Amino acid sequence: MGRVISVSNQKGGVGKTTTTVNLAAFLGAKGKKVLIIDIDPQGNAGFGVSVNAEELQTTIYEVLIGEIGIEEAIFNTEYPNLDIVPANIHLSGAQIDMMDLEGKEFKLKEAVKKIADFYDYVLIDCPPSLGLLTLNALVAADTVLIPLQCEYYALEGLSQLLRIISMVQENINKQLGIEGVVLTMYDSRTKLSQHVVTDVKEYFKDKVFETIIPRNVKLSEAPSFGQPIGVYDSGCPGSETYEKLAEEVINNG
């Protein structure tokens, strides 16, 4: 059965989707069969792999509300070993539409169980919030990968995410672990970035990935071309570091 990793941080703009897409693409390039599940109503993960979900009626939303099976929502991408269950703006109504469903926090877990055997990794791209969608992701996951930007207030609000993770561990998903914290948007020229790295390593100890993702223009450009960074510019620092991150994740077991 594949490893299910939820990429989560309730703060926006920390590199969740960038990390999900590029980590998935490099895992695929290394011969691992990978599925991205986008549960962010912004639907950006699809754009990052050339899948436009705006008009689709077979997305994660239809899966969560029970209209279709997850198998019907899986799209093959043009990248090696990489599939996606996309999202679009319809997902923003899921919180209300799922409210009266029995076992609403288990809907994603039930769906993932049906297809996890076909993949080595399932990466769930979470929304920047701690609502029902993120709860579903944490219940479905084996581990949580937390992207954290090297900026002021990086750790602010993180205690809330950790509290939710702890609550899920205690009450719903006792096996849920921390895959690791990946530091993003690192600028070696600033003392602030260096301080954040030190603080985060003190706080999370050995749960911090050695690989640190730099602030890199190419990483920002790649999604507008519908390409993971390894395809868009394989020689840039962003590409090299995400490939190293993929190796670390594989070595995590």
Side-chain angles (χ1 to χ4, degrees):
M1 192 163 172
R3 260 166 72 199
V4 183
I5 302 173
S6 175
V7 182
S8 187
N9 186 333
Q10 80 271 27
K11 231 175 168 186
V14 299
K16 277 190 300 293
T17 301
T18 300
T19 296
T20 303
V21 167
N22 291 309
L23 174 58
F26 273 117
L27 289 170
K30 291 178 183 300
K32 305 296 182 184
K33 188 83 176 117
V34 187
L35 176 68
I36 295 171
I37 299 179
D38 190 357
I39 60 159
D40 183 349
Q42 295 174 89
N44 289 332
F47 289 114
V49 291
S50 296
V51 174
N52 184 353
E54 279 185 354
E55 304 302 323
L56 292 175
Q57 300 299 314
T58 52
T59 69
I60 193 63
Y61 170 71
E62 286 78 20
V63 174
L64 292 174
I65 63 171
E67 279 188 6
I68 62 171
I70 192 168
E71 304 89 342
E72 298 170 68
I74 295 173
F75 289 80
N76 304 122
T77 75
E78 59 193 78
Y79 304 108
N81 303 309
L82 182 57
D83 296 342
I84 186 168
V85 176
N88 59 27
I89 197 64
H90 293 150
L91 188 59
S92 57
Q95 196 108 344
I96 294 164
D97 296 337
M98 293 170 69
M99 202 49 72
D100 296 326
L101 295 180
E102 193 178 334
K104 55 184 177 285
E105 65 272 28
F106 293 96
K107 293 303 176 188
L108 186 60
K109 183 182 178 73
E110 289 165 7
V112 168
K113 248 196 301 195
K114 295 174 186 171
I115 46 85
D117 284 344
F118 300 106
Y119 295 94
D120 297 304
Y121 294 93
V122 177
L123 300 187
I124 306 171
D125 188 24
C126 293
S129 66
L130 291 175
L132 183 57
L133 292 173
T134 296
L135 180 59
N136 261 266
L138 296 176
V139 172
D142 298 313
T143 58
V144 189
L145 190 154
I146 306 170
L148 204 63
Q149 84 281 31
C150 294
E151 291 175 3
Y152 201 53
Y153 295 137
L155 288 167
E156 193 183 77
L158 203 59
S159 58
Q160 210 180 347
L161 173 62
L162 296 173
R163 196 160 57 245
I164 296 287
I165 291 170
S166 180
M167 184 199 80
V168 171
Q169 287 168 328
E170 284 172 30
N171 300 299
I172 314 175
N173 182 0
K174 291 184 177 9
Q175 277 71 49
L176 183 64
I178 304 285
E179 182 76 23
V181 175
V182 58
L183 288 154
T184 62
M185 304 177 194
Y186 177 77
D187 187 342
S188 59
R189 298 167 301 178
T190 68
K191 282 191 175 159
L192 176 60
S193 276
Q194 293 161 25
H195 283 315
V196 171
V197 171
T198 303
D199 289 349
V200 170
K201 285 185 172 175
E202 272 178 24
Y203 190 85
F204 285 100
K205 312 252 177 329
D206 61 343
K207 283 295 178 186
V208 182
F209 285 103
E210 283 179 31
T211 306
I212 297 176
I213 310 301
R215 190 174 285 284
N216 182 234
V217 174
K218 298 291 185 183
L219 281 173
S220 307
E221 291 174 355
S224 61
F225 291 88
Q227 295 178 335
I229 191 63
V231 176
Y232 180 65
D233 188 342
S234 61
C236 75
S239 179
E240 290 166 0
T241 47
Y242 270 115
E243 183 170 13
K244 284 180 187 164
L245 180 64
E247 287 164 4
E248 277 198 75
V249 168
I250 290 169
N251 291 335
N252 270 359

